[in-house]
């Protein structure tokens, strides 16, 4: 006999059906698919992906029901950080092709109904940008570029013989080491929150701001659909240049050769109010003018900030002064690990998103990107389909990193062959910092050279050899039970089924193994089906009685339902006994329930404790955002 504690919460978040989404809400009913351009498709056999390669593979997104692609940086760059160091914000780097190639890609995507958003870096440029070269020439007031970057004299009162050792303060860069680099010409330091090859722009300078806004507008004029704004919370620092406080929880790595970013608490270099002032201004002066209802064209904005849900809310702005359509939500990347994975942990990461979501705003989910290990390596290969189910069927917009629809896995790259500057900058502990493993080339075919990615003798990163073992598009496309077809089925369901076109969320069951929730249609579609999504994040098979759990709280759940999607695709359209439902480890079931058989009733709230290990938010906080909270314990035999 096992005592399981189960929680049901009904959220009313603004019932909006996809068929009623306005012209400026296209991003609510789609999937954002991240393309890392170096690794997607090589068209000219140089071993590096490019724009014509992406264009040649656009039909893939139709096959898997994806409506929006986000392309990581393609602007001119010396590639110190693989495109996140931009030397010309309005030019295509020749490695990826030409402006004509980009325009052809954009036109083809539009003809297929695929939206295109680009990556833009407001915080810094490359040290090879003309602006920086001119700025570094002289601090003379006659130099028009004098204040384009963050220049600073050596620390006053420093007794060291060499001024280049007198750093202005203790700030540490994201990639490790001082955030300051000495420039001989100016006899000053310049600030770089990332690599020394990525000098920070002086965004308090109105001329710099206008130049950046002009660059943003340039690509809008080309016809893109919006931007992902990279690393926005790094955009401003305190003018006083005060030292940052030490992090008391920091554990110094063995053999550390330089100070690491996590050694400080970044109260002086991140999350300043000016960030939001800038975003509000960009929304009003660039994004809104390029959003035209008569052209069915809305400029989407998503921001990158690794913040908890309670802090992310600021990036939505207000009704009077809008900012991002949403900030990326990295909860399921940052805190879900193989060691912590459980139904309870998933609840602890999902629930605060809804608790803190501002009224009328839209949630989102990210389960992979170019800076984090792939799902299969973070959590285990058997959970890939379960995580894809969670990502695509929770309320809100889902983001998928290329290859996760196949279950692609990390590669191993030795230090000698490492490409990632983050790892190269930290030889002591490069394996902890490298991002090369999750950036390997896309696996298209099991029979072709380099998995169909390139005909080159050598690719910029090695192709994972498991492309020959079924982890490729061609094999999985022809296999109805593959990870790819499972993903495509989920993607189709979320865009064509009324219950998944709302942002209603009702938890069905939460315990150490199970995370389960209901999705309801809007009131005008009340006769449509309700779906139970049940996922087992435990190590072994479990059996649960969902009917008893519901009945104890006044919910009349039918004893049977119809399985519409199973992770193995082997139980689709089978009947499910909801009184005795067994799920294997890593299994997720999407079960249709007749709406007429599910009756919600009003219940009296009782101060029953939350499940062990649940979110630390108290009952009073939950009541602020829920219309019905039902806590209960059920004995399962």
């Amino acid at each position: 006999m096992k005592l399981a504690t189960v929680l049901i919460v009904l959220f009313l978040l603004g019932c909006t059906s996809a068929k009623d989404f306005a012209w400026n809400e296209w991003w609510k009913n789609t999937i954002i698919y991240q393309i890392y351009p170096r690794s997607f498709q090589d068209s000219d056999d140089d071993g590096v992906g490019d724009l014509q390669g992406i264009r040649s593979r656009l039909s893939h997104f139709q096959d898997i029901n994806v409506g929006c692609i986000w392309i990581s940086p393609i602007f001119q760059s010396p590639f110190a950080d693989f495109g996140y160091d931009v030397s010309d914000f309005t030019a295509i780097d020749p490695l990826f092709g030409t402006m004509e190639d980009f325009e052809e890609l954009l036109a083809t995507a539009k003809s297929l109904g695929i939206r295109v958003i680009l990556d833009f870096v407001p915080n810094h440029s490359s040290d090879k940008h003309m602006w920086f070269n001119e700025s570094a020439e002289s601090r003379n007031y006659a130099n028009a570029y004098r204040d384009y970057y963050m220049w600073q004299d050596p620390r006053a009162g420093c007794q060291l013989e060499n001024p280049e050792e007198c750093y202005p303060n203790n700030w540490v860069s994201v990639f490790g080491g001082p955030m300051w680099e000495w420039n001989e010409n100016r006899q000053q330091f310049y600030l770089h929150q990332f690599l020394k090859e990525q000098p920070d722009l002086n965004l308090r300078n109105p001329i710099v701001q206008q130049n950046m806004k002009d660059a943003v507008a340039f690509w809008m004029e080309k016809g893109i659909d919006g931007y992902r704004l990279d690393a926005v919370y790094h955009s401003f620092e305190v003018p006083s240049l005060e030292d940052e406080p030490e992090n008391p929880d920091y554990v110094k790595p063995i053999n550390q050769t330089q100070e690491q970013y996590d050694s400080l608490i970044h109260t002086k270099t991140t999350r300043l109010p000016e960030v939001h002032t800038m975003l509000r201004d960009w929304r009003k002066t660039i994004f809104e003018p390029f959003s035209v209802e008569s052209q069915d064209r809305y400029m989407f904005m998503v921001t990158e900030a690794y913040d908890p849900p309670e802090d992310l809310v600021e990036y939505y702005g207000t009704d009077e002064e809008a900012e991002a359509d949403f900030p990326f939500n990295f909860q399921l990347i940052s805190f879900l690990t193989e060691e912590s994975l459980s139904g309870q942990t998933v609840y602890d990461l999902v629930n605060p998103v809804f608790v803190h979501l501002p009224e009328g705003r839209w949630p989102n989910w990210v389960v992979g990107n170019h800076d984090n290990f792939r799902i299969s390596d973070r959590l285990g290969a058997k959970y890939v389909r379960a995580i894809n189910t969670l990502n695509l069927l929770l309320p809100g917009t889902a983001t998928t990193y290329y290859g996760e629809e196949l279950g692609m896995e990390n590669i191993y790259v030795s230090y000698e062959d490492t490409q990632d500057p983050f790892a190269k900058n930290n030889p002591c502990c490069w394996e902890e910092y490298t991002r090369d493993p999750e950036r390997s080339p896309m696996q298209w075919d099991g029979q072709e050279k380099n998995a169909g990615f390139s005909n080159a003798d050598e690719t910029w990163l090695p192709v994972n050899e498991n492309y020959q073992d079924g982890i490729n598009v061609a094999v999985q496309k022809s296999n109805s039970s593959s990870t790819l077809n499972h993903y495509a089925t989920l993607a189709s369901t979320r865009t064509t089924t009324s219950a998944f076109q709302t942002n209603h969320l009702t938890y069905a069951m939460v315990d150490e193994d199970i995370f389960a929730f209901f999705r309801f249609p809007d009131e005008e579609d009340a006769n449509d089906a309700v779906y139970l999504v049940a996922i087992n994040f435990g190590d072994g098979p479990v059996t649960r009685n969902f009917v008893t759990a519901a009945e104890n709280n006044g919910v009349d759940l039918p004893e049977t339902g119809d399985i519409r999607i199973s992770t193995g695709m082997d139980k689709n359209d089978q009947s499910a006994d909801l009184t005795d439902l067994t799920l294997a480890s890593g299994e997720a079931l999407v079960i249709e329930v007749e709406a007429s058989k599910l009756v919600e009733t009003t219940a009296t709230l009782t101060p029953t404790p939350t499940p062990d290990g649940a979110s630390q938010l108290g009952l009073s906080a939950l009541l602020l955002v829920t219309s019905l909270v039902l806590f209960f314990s059920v004995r399962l035999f």
Side-chain angles (χ1 to χ4, degrees):
M1 182 169 63
K2 181 177 179 181
L3 181 64
T5 306
V6 185
L7 170 66
I8 285 186
V9 182
L10 174 63
F11 289 94
L12 300 180
L13 300 175
C15 310
T16 307
S17 175
K19 60 179 176 293
D20 295 325
F21 283 164
W23 65 278
N24 57 355
E25 295 178 318
W26 60 262
W27 44 273
K28 289 185 176 181
N29 193 36
T30 190
I31 295 166
I32 297 173
Y33 184 106
Q34 183 188 359
I35 293 176
Y36 197 69
R38 298 178 71 93
S39 296
F40 200 66
Q41 180 65 54
D42 174 19
S43 71
D44 57 6
D45 298 334
D46 63 354
V48 180
D50 49 51
L51 294 172
Q52 286 293 352
I54 296 172
R55 180 170 175 259
S56 72
R57 295 293 190 179
L58 288 176
S59 62
H60 177 62
F61 304 115
Q62 291 184 305
D63 293 340
I64 63 172
N65 302 296
V66 164
C68 177
I69 57 174
W70 148 36
I71 306 176
S72 292
I74 52 176
F75 309 140
Q76 188 171 296
S77 170
F79 297 109
D81 189 21
F82 296 110
Y84 286 94
D85 51 318
V86 178
S87 56
D88 189 337
F89 288 98
T90 58
I92 297 292
D93 194 275
L95 184 70
F96 298 125
T98 66
M99 188 65 74
E100 183 179 1
D101 291 333
F102 177 75
E103 291 167 350
E104 289 179 358
L105 165 60
L106 201 59
T108 304
K110 296 290 185 185
S111 71
L112 297 175
I114 299 169
R115 308 271 185 170
V116 178
I117 64 174
L118 296 182
D119 227 329
F120 194 85
V121 187
N123 180 68
H124 52 263
S125 75
S126 164
D127 63 347
K128 300 295 189 274
H129 197 294
M130 180 273 290
W131 298 342
F132 186 77
N133 292 334
E134 292 294 329
S135 187
E137 279 298 312
S138 167
R139 64 168 85 180
N140 191 297
Y141 282 99
N143 181 358
Y145 298 93
R146 178 183 187 273
D147 294 324
Y148 265 52
Y149 294 86
M150 303 295 292
W151 297 99
Q152 187 62 34
D153 291 330
R155 186 175 69 253
C158 177
Q159 300 301 310
L160 296 176
E161 182 177 348
N162 297 318
E164 60 265 32
E165 297 178 7
C166 294
Y167 299 113
N169 54 33
N170 72 338
W171 295 354
V172 177
S173 80
V174 171
F175 289 149
M179 199 180 280
W180 299 97
E181 184 70 12
W182 180 253
N183 180 267
E184 283 291 335
N185 276 353
R186 289 187 56 138
Q187 290 290 294
Q188 283 183 308
F189 291 96
Y190 67 85
L191 181 77
H192 59 94
Q193 289 223 30
F194 293 86
L195 293 173
K196 63 183 176 63
E197 294 86 358
Q198 296 169 293
D200 274 39
L201 289 158
N202 178 10
L203 292 171
R204 287 193 174 88
N205 182 336
I207 299 175
V208 175
Q209 274 277 356
Q210 189 58 52
N211 279 329
M212 295 301 280
K213 289 162 68 172
D214 289 345
V216 169
F218 176 87
W219 298 102
M220 290 181 176
E221 289 173 350
K222 290 288 182 183
I224 68 167
D225 296 288
Y227 284 99
R228 176 251 194 191
L229 298 181
D230 177 73
V232 290
Y233 67 9
H234 294 276
S235 298
F236 294 88
E237 303 78 26
V238 293
S240 62
L241 304 183
E242 299 167 67
D243 279 358
E244 293 195 310
E246 294 183 1
N247 180 0
D249 299 323
Y250 176 69
V251 178
K252 185 176 181 179
I254 299 174
N255 301 322
Q256 176 179 293
T257 56
Q258 59 185 349
E259 289 300 318
Q260 295 298 320
Y261 189 68
D262 290 343
S263 65
L264 301 177
I265 299 174
H266 303 287
T267 56
K268 312 300 180 183
T269 58
T270 63
R271 304 173 179 88
L272 268 65
E274 292 92 332
V275 171
H276 299 285
T277 302
M278 180 182 75
L279 292 176
R280 289 193 295 269
D281 176 62
W282 285 26
R283 168 65 75 185
K284 183 176 181 179
T285 62
I286 320 173
F287 283 74
E288 288 182 4
F290 277 95
S291 298
V292 182
E293 183 174 4
S294 63
Q295 299 175 12
D296 191 30
R297 189 179 184 214
Y298 175 75
M299 282 299 152
F300 170 69
M301 181 198 294
V302 57
T303 52
E304 181 203 34
Y306 281 83
D307 277 337
E310 59 268 28
D311 293 334
L312 286 177
V313 298
E314 292 186 58
Y315 290 92
Y316 285 99
T318 66
D319 291 339
E320 293 74 28
E321 294 184 296
E323 294 184 29
D325 291 293
F326 54 71
F328 270 146
N329 161 28
F330 296 115
Q331 290 291 96
L332 296 176
I333 285 184
S334 298
F335 302 108
L336 197 60
T337 65
E338 191 170 9
E339 294 73 27
S340 70
L341 184 63
S342 70
Q344 186 65 64
T345 301
V346 171
Y347 167 79
D348 291 345
L349 297 175
V350 167
N351 191 56
V353 173
F354 292 105
V355 168
H356 294 287
L357 188 70
E359 183 178 357
R361 304 301 182 185
W362 195 254
N364 76 98
W365 311 95
V366 183
V367 296
N369 64 19
H370 62 293
D371 288 330
N372 292 275
F373 280 2
R374 290 190 173 276
I375 297 169
S376 57
D377 292 83
R378 294 200 320 271
L379 304 175
K382 72 176 178 179
Y383 296 107
V384 168
R385 298 191 192 198
I387 293 296
N388 281 338
T389 301
L390 187 71
N391 186 32
L392 269 60
L393 298 188
L394 280 171
T397 301
T399 297
T400 290
Y401 184 52
Y402 81 96
E404 296 293 15
E405 72 273 30
L406 302 172
M408 278 179 59
E409 300 174 358
N410 285 0
I411 59 170
Y412 175 78
V413 182
S414 68
Y415 181 73
E416 291 70 28
D417 294 326
T418 290
Q419 304 291 317
D420 183 12
F422 203 175
K424 287 181 175 181
N425 212 35
N426 293 283
C428 72
C429 30
W430 63 274
E431 288 181 294
E432 179 181 347
Y433 295 105
T434 182
R435 299 166 297 176
D436 286 341
E438 64 265 24
R439 297 177 177 182
S440 63
M442 180 68 173
Q443 296 165 206
W444 295 103
D445 196 286
Q447 302 298 319
E448 296 182 17
K449 184 178 182 178
N450 296 319
F453 164 71
S454 173
N455 288 320
D457 291 335
E458 185 176 358
T459 54
W460 83 281
L461 280 175
V463 177
N464 195 319
E465 294 182 359
N466 66 14
Y467 80 89
Q468 301 174 77
D469 301 324
I471 304 183
N472 66 75
V473 173
V475 166
Q476 292 196 20
K477 191 173 179 180
S478 63
N479 179 357
S480 61
S481 62
S482 67
T483 303
L484 179 67
N485 276 307
H486 175 252
Y487 181 97
T489 304
L490 291 170
S492 175
T493 298
R494 65 172 274 122
T495 56
T496 60
T497 307
S498 59
F500 293 105
Q501 297 171 343
T502 71
N503 54 1
H504 297 197
L505 177 66
T506 304
Y507 296 112
M509 183 175 288
V510 175
D511 61 31
E512 276 304 300
D513 300 306
I514 297 295
F515 179 77
F517 55 93
F518 292 108
R519 294 299 306 274
F520 293 90
D522 275 328
E523 291 182 5
E524 61 266 28
D525 300 311
N527 292 326
D528 291 353
V530 172
Y531 288 83
L532 168 66
V533 180
I535 308 173
N536 179 10
F537 288 109
D539 293 330
V542 296
T543 301
R544 295 288 185 267
N545 186 334
F546 286 89
V547 174
T548 301
E551 286 178 348
N552 283 359
N553 286 269
V555 178
D556 184 13
L557 183 66
E559 293 188 357
T560 62
D562 295 316
I563 299 172
R564 294 307 180 204
I565 310 174
S566 59
T567 40
M569 302 292 280
D570 55 338
K571 298 179 182 178
N572 295 9
D573 298 324
Q574 293 182 14
S575 179
D577 182 354
L578 301 180
T579 68
D580 191 38
L581 185 63
T582 299
L583 294 99
S585 176
E587 184 173 25
L589 299 177
V590 182
I591 303 169
E592 180 180 337
V593 180
E594 290 185 21
S596 60
K597 293 184 179 179
L598 188 62
V599 180
E600 298 170 73
T601 61
T602 302
T604 302
L605 298 176
T606 55
T608 308
T610 56
D612 292 341
S615 168
Q616 296 302 305
L617 292 164
L619 182 59
S620 59
L622 287 172
L623 288 174
L624 293 174
V625 294
T626 64
S627 64
L628 178 64
V629 181
L630 300 170
F631 296 101
F632 60 99
S633 295
V634 180
R635 291 186 181 275
L636 300 174
F637 296 86

